[in-house]
Amino acid sequence: MQPVIFLGPSLSVEKAKSILPFADYRPPARKGDFQRLEKENVQFVGFADGVFLQDYPPTPIEVYNLIKKGTMLVGAASLGALRAVELEKFGMRGIGKIFELYKKGVLDSDDEVAVTFSEHDYKLQSEALIDIRYTLYHACKEGIIDRNVKKLLVKNAKNIYFPYRNYDELFARVSGVVDVEVLETLRKYLKTNRRSLKEEDTVRLIRFIKELCLGSLK
């Protein structure tokens, strides 16, 4: 049976199809999308992306109603991870590192995964705080920046309202505070080493749904 997967800026449909070609990929979920799914005979639903500013996001109650109907619903990466934490006790399945971080209380703000994106191609217009954290973690691990610089950059990134959060804005905010050469080295590093935990978790979601469809998971 063809699964439905709500997907947008976290992972391109092309990459998703390279893992699971036969899924019904739909745009980031909005309020009412899960309610409409109740009328469809869908067995598995993957939920990665939803809207934040563009429209109203799916409410927990409509997601819950779909679970109650017997649909296997799996969330990860972004709004899907948030709903999975809220609704796990009612049967929603959460997977991925971001889901686990929210579940353990390490992350507690929707702001960590919130982004804005283009409506027609889902191209990111801002950077998720969790992805900035993830990239700076690796930059520190690889000796590009030290722990103090990483901590300062994360603090400044968190203080940027999420629609305006990106590396250019972040660099402007710490200009004159962080050494110029360190910032330039980091800027060069980012050209080829930016990481996205949201994308990695969405890949985990797609693979999980694939295994469900193949009957190798319960």
Side-chain angles (χ1 to χ4, degrees):
M1 183 172 292
Q2 187 180 37
V4 170
I5 298 177
F6 291 98
L7 188 65
S10 293
L11 181 73
S12 71
V13 172
E14 289 72 23
K15 288 183 180 178
K17 284 184 174 178
S18 71
I19 303 166
L20 182 57
F22 58 84
D24 177 0
Y25 293 101
R26 301 190 184 184
R30 300 167 188 268
K31 184 178 179 180
D33 283 346
F34 286 88
Q35 189 174 358
R36 282 185 283 276
L37 268 181
E38 288 185 49
K39 300 175 183 175
E40 301 179 37
N41 188 25
V42 180
Q43 186 175 359
F44 303 120
V45 175
F47 182 14
D49 290 307
V51 296
F52 281 95
L53 276 184
Q54 296 93 335
D55 203 340
Y56 292 106
T59 62
I61 188 65
E62 68 173 299
V63 180
Y64 166 74
N65 285 337
L66 189 62
I67 298 168
K68 193 169 65 172
K69 187 173 177 286
T71 305
M72 178 64 169
L73 185 55
V74 186
S78 190
L79 195 55
L82 294 171
R83 289 290 179 267
V85 171
E86 294 166 339
L87 298 170
E88 186 181 30
K89 60 185 174 184
F90 299 110
M92 185 171 178
R93 186 77 177 259
I95 64 167
K97 294 180 180 177
I98 294 173
F99 165 75
E100 291 296 335
L101 289 170
Y102 275 115
K103 183 178 177 180
K104 293 175 181 174
V106 177
L107 301 179
D108 58 7
S109 169
D110 295 5
D111 180 57
E112 291 280 346
V113 295
V115 293
T116 55
F117 53 87
S118 168
E119 286 281 1
H120 69 281
D121 62 3
Y122 313 133
K123 184 177 180 181
L124 284 173
Q125 296 170 333
S126 64
E127 197 82 21
L129 179 57
I130 187 65
D131 285 345
I132 292 177
R133 287 183 190 273
Y134 194 49
T135 296
L136 294 179
Y137 163 78
H138 283 281
C140 183
K141 188 177 178 181
E142 294 169 30
I144 305 300
I145 55 175
D146 63 28
R147 289 186 178 182
N148 289 332
V149 170
K150 178 173 75 72
K151 187 176 179 181
L152 181 67
L153 289 167
V154 169
K155 181 180 178 182
N156 276 271
K158 190 170 179 57
N159 288 334
I160 301 172
Y161 182 42
F162 81 87
Y164 306 111
R165 186 179 287 139
N166 57 57
Y167 285 106
D168 287 340
E169 178 63 25
L170 176 57
F171 276 51
R173 290 206 176 203
V174 299
S175 176
V177 180
V178 176
D179 183 85
V180 174
E181 290 186 5
V182 171
L183 282 184
E184 186 56 29
T185 301
L186 179 59
R187 194 187 298 276
K188 291 177 180 175
Y189 172 84
L190 292 175
K191 287 181 179 178
T192 53
N193 294 282
R194 285 169 60 177
R195 302 284 293 263
S196 173
L197 189 55
K198 291 180 68 170
E199 180 177 280
E200 293 177 19
D201 274 2
T202 305
V203 168
R204 293 184 178 98
L205 171 71
I206 304 292
R207 288 175 175 159
F208 187 83
I209 294 287
K210 181 179 181 179
E211 290 176 358
L212 280 175
C213 293
L214 296 175
S216 56
L217 287 177
K218 299 292 185 183

